[in-house]
Amino acid sequence: RSALRLGISLSFDDSNVDKEAIVGDTLNYYENSKTNSVGFSITAQYLNYLVRTDEVGFYLGTGPTFGFGNSEGEFELEISDSTVQKGSGSADNFTIGLDVIAGVEWSFHKDMTLSAEYGIKFYYLHQTSTSESNLRKEERTLESFRLTYNYINFGISVYF
């Protein structure tokens, strides 16, 4: 038995940071920042059931994943030598990669299942960011290949 699974993931974050640090013995550093971000990803996976009984199935799956994200924020930095830096920044990122998963699925009803799975992801990341303040302007581009693990995911499926 095999299946094709499509997934969409949305993420939102609204965070505030108030930070105080001591650098060396004499330099105090204060940071206040606010960031808003949004993300979107699409995944398609081909699942192949290795072992299947009437109620339980073990599967492996793989497929492409695509993601987009954006964040914007404002910051204020103050150093004990009276230097104050105020500014804003933004970042855009794009990812494309491959998901590989292993999982178990339990059919508790003829049209419904519970599942648990674990996986890894290999992907390419392209990120551009800008930061501008009263003291400096910075533009940065990051390109990298990454291998990360996925958390254990639990799910419920309904079949029509």
Side-chain angles (χ1 to χ4, degrees), residues 77-146:
L77 308 174
E78 183 179 340
I79 301 173
S80 59
D81 68 357
S82 300
T83 302
V84 176
Q85 182 178 3
K86 293 182 181 183
S88 62
S90 65
D92 294 306
N93 63 60
F94 166 76
T95 60
I96 184 170
L98 183 68
D99 253 347
V100 178
I101 58 171
V104 60
E105 186 175 62
W106 171 53
S107 298
F108 65 93
H109 184 272
K110 69 177 184 133
D111 295 325
M112 298 178 79
T113 63
L114 290 175
S115 62
E117 65 187 35
Y118 182 77
I120 59 173
K121 183 186 295 187
F122 176 71
Y123 64 97
Y124 166 77
L125 167 67
H126 179 88
Q127 182 180 65
T128 56
S129 61
T130 60
S131 177
E132 189 169 348
S133 72
N134 56 321
L135 298 178
R136 65 184 177 143
K137 181 176 181 178
E138 180 177 286
E139 294 182 5
R140 181 184 294 179
T141 299
L142 169 68
E143 294 186 48
S144 67
F145 288 94
R146 297 183 176 186

Side-chain angles (χ1 to χ4, degrees), residues 12-18 31-38 71-75:
F12 302 96
D13 183 28
D14 183 20
S15 60
N16 295 307
V17 174
D18 289 314
E31 175 185 354
N32 181 314
S33 64
K34 179 185 262 187
T35 305
N36 297 306
S37 62
V38 62
S71 64
E72 295 180 356
E74 298 176 348
F75 61 89

Side-chain angles (χ1 to χ4, degrees), residues 17-32:
V17 174
D18 289 314
K19 177 180 172 181
E20 180 178 349
I22 298 174
V23 180
D25 290 333
T26 60
L27 190 62
N28 290 334
Y29 174 91
Y30 305 96
E31 175 185 354
N32 181 314

Side-chain angles (χ1 to χ4, degrees), residues 51-69:
V51 177
R52 177 106 181 127
T53 66
D54 288 340
E55 293 182 358
V56 178
F58 296 94
Y59 60 88
L60 295 176
T62 188
T65 180
F66 306 93
F68 303 93

